[in-house]
Amino acid sequence: MSSESDFAVIGGGLIGRLIAWRLAGAGARVALYERGDAQGRESAAWVAAAMLAPLAEAASAELLITELGAASLDAWPALLAQLPRPVFFQRNGTLVVWHPSDRAESTMFTSRLRVNAPASLLQGGLVALSGAALDEAEPVLGGRFQQGFLLPDEGQLDNRQVLEALAEGLVARGVETHWHTELDDARIEALPARYRIDCRGLGAKPAWNGLRGIRGEVARVHAPGVGLRRPVRLLHPRYPLYIAPKEHDRYVIGATEIEGEDMSPISVRSSLELLSAAFSIHPGFGEARILELSTQCRPTLPDHRPRIRRVGDRVMRVNGLYRHGFMLAPEVSRLAVDCALAQASGACADADAFEYWAAGTRWPSLFASDAPQGQTA
């Protein structure tokens, strides 16, 4: 590097790219370091379905996550409009269905939503459908399900297009990018930058107690004969499934969430369960062509909340987006950038000032100050 940067962002997955891009947009000199390539193939974001579904996720996520998700969903269109290439974005809702034998799952689903979702999402955001109304909502499923819910306000995007557009956006905004560059703690410490922002995901495990990986498995298929208009979620006691339709008759099918950081290929059992459940939704998936069977591990903290942590005067860590990366990334990256700029301006000169600043944000519980004893910067 020819001169010292204002910020060095370490980790170029989704959240690292967004933070670097936004900092550069605010006028900062930024360098980004990523062990993988510009496409993001080594990141958890590369494998994601990229559904923006805060209400549907309320079936398993707490109120804080659904509120963050709702704010991020509203923010995505304006953010995408600033990128140098178009990205597939759809806000056509989510359809939730179940087989008659699994009717009890629908009762549990709505009960959890009422506990974990803000009233603003539930107001007009959960529409019960049956018979002709269900068939009209998703004609290609006509007659296959008796009842369902339409969550009309939810959305999705193409994860890989976002990563590629952000890579171009980094260049357009003058970010100094270092792809295929893996840094250990000693090299991070020596980077020529005033401030360092660690967004390495699971790569930050040695420096963050409690950070662990949750394995996910997905199938990508080409199914020209299906024609779903929006993501579909199947409620099932053993095989809860989502199918996210992308452009050009491509679909992302996922369900599994496995404790552990096993990055080996997907198992035969998981593959059969995913594809059989998809076939039960629409027989057209029986003729689909399998493009990929992929695995990845999402970084999560014990409470499944993302965290922005101040570590001393010159280091900040952003991590723990779990399975909600695309759903939360706009709001988490905005907060991280606000925090980084506040620290650079002297508004967070010490731990007390940082805590005072964080208390004035919309989401103060996302912030933490200083590393616990035994962790390094």
Side-chain angles (χ1 to χ4, degrees):
M1 298 176 65
S2 58
S3 62
E4 183 180 63
S5 299
D6 296 319
F7 298 96
V9 179
I10 304 97
L14 174 63
I15 196 67
R17 291 178 196 222
L18 272 172
I19 289 171
W21 178 75
R22 288 184 129 165
L23 282 169
R29 295 171 300 170
V30 184
L32 175 76
Y33 300 83
E34 161 58 27
R35 67 180 179 180
D37 58 24
Q39 290 182 292
R41 293 177 185 272
E42 293 191 18
S43 69
W46 177 259
V47 176
M51 294 184 295
L52 313 176
L55 184 55
E57 284 297 312
S60 58
E62 62 171 312
L63 178 62
L64 172 67
I65 300 301
T66 58
E67 289 178 335
L68 280 166
S72 292
L73 175 55
D74 289 339
W76 267 116
L79 191 156
L80 294 174
Q82 299 177 62
L83 295 177
R85 66 157 65 184
V87 171
F88 167 74
F89 174 83
Q90 179 191 69
R91 196 165 184 179
N92 200 25
T94 299
L95 185 67
V96 180
V97 296
W98 56 89
H99 298 298
S101 59
D102 300 321
R103 189 177 296 109
E105 295 297 312
S106 68
T107 302
M108 294 172 58
F109 178 78
T110 54
S111 297
R112 290 169 181 160
L113 261 57
R114 292 190 178 97
V115 171
N116 297 331
S120 58
L121 286 184
L122 287 168
Q123 187 76 27
L126 181 65
V127 181
L129 301 175
S130 61
L134 180 58
D135 295 343
E136 183 179 355
E138 198 62 65
V140 299
L141 299 184
R144 302 189 191 282
F145 297 93
Q146 300 174 5
Q147 294 178 303
F149 294 114
L150 178 64
L151 286 57
D153 299 327
E154 301 198 321
Q156 62 157 333
L157 44 72
D158 187 298
N159 60 316
R160 296 178 180 180
Q161 290 180 12
V162 171
L163 292 172
E164 291 176 1
L166 280 169
E168 289 188 14
L170 293 170
V171 175
R173 289 189 171 181
V175 175
E176 186 169 351
T177 54
H178 300 261
W179 309 113
H180 303 290
T181 303
E182 186 162 5
L183 303 177
D184 57 23
D185 287 345
R187 293 186 66 193
I188 291 173
E189 180 70 25
L191 290 175
R194 294 174 59 205
Y195 300 95
R196 302 186 299 279
I197 304 176
D198 186 346
C199 303
R200 289 179 293 168
L202 284 176
K205 275 189 66 178
W208 198 321
N209 289 335
L211 185 67
R212 71 186 196 279
I214 302 290
R215 176 180 167 99
E217 302 171 337
V218 302
R220 289 177 179 264
V221 303
H222 183 225
V226 175
L228 292 176
R229 302 190 300 190
R230 57 177 60 83
V232 175
R233 293 186 179 232
L234 176 68
L235 302 182
H236 190 280
R238 289 187 60 199
Y239 311 122
L241 178 86
Y242 60 78
I243 301 176
K246 308 300 182 182
E247 291 181 302
H248 311 305
D249 297 312
R250 285 171 163 77
Y251 295 82
V252 179
I253 304 168
T256 53
E257 184 172 292
I258 304 168
E259 280 284 352
E261 295 170 19
D262 177 12
M263 294 289 289
S264 65
I266 190 170
S267 68
V268 171
R269 179 193 297 271
S270 292
S271 301
L272 290 173
E273 290 173 352
L274 281 177
L275 299 176
S276 297
F279 180 77
S280 76
I281 290 179
H282 193 293
F285 284 110
E287 298 301 319
R289 296 301 182 257
I290 299 173
L291 303 176
E292 295 179 28
L293 293 170
S294 305
T295 61
Q296 188 47 270
C297 287
R298 289 75 58 93
T300 187
L301 295 164
D303 58 5
H304 294 320
R305 291 182 176 184
R307 194 80 78 248
I308 300 168
R309 181 184 289 279
R310 176 188 181 274
V311 185
D313 296 332
R314 297 183 55 215
V315 179
M316 185 171 72
R317 302 192 191 281
V318 185
N319 216 317
L321 273 77
Y322 183 38
R323 55 180 283 176
H324 307 123
F326 281 90
M327 192 178 84
L328 305 184
E331 194 67 6
V332 173
S333 64
R334 181 189 67 80
L335 290 165
V337 168
D338 287 350
C339 183
L341 294 174
Q343 187 159 343
S345 72
C348 301
D350 55 37
D352 290 340
F354 171 82
E355 291 178 8
Y356 179 80
W357 179 90
T361 68
R362 186 178 178 185
W363 319 105
S365 61
L366 297 185
F367 295 90
S369 180
D370 294 326
Q373 186 175 4
Q375 294 185 12
T376 61

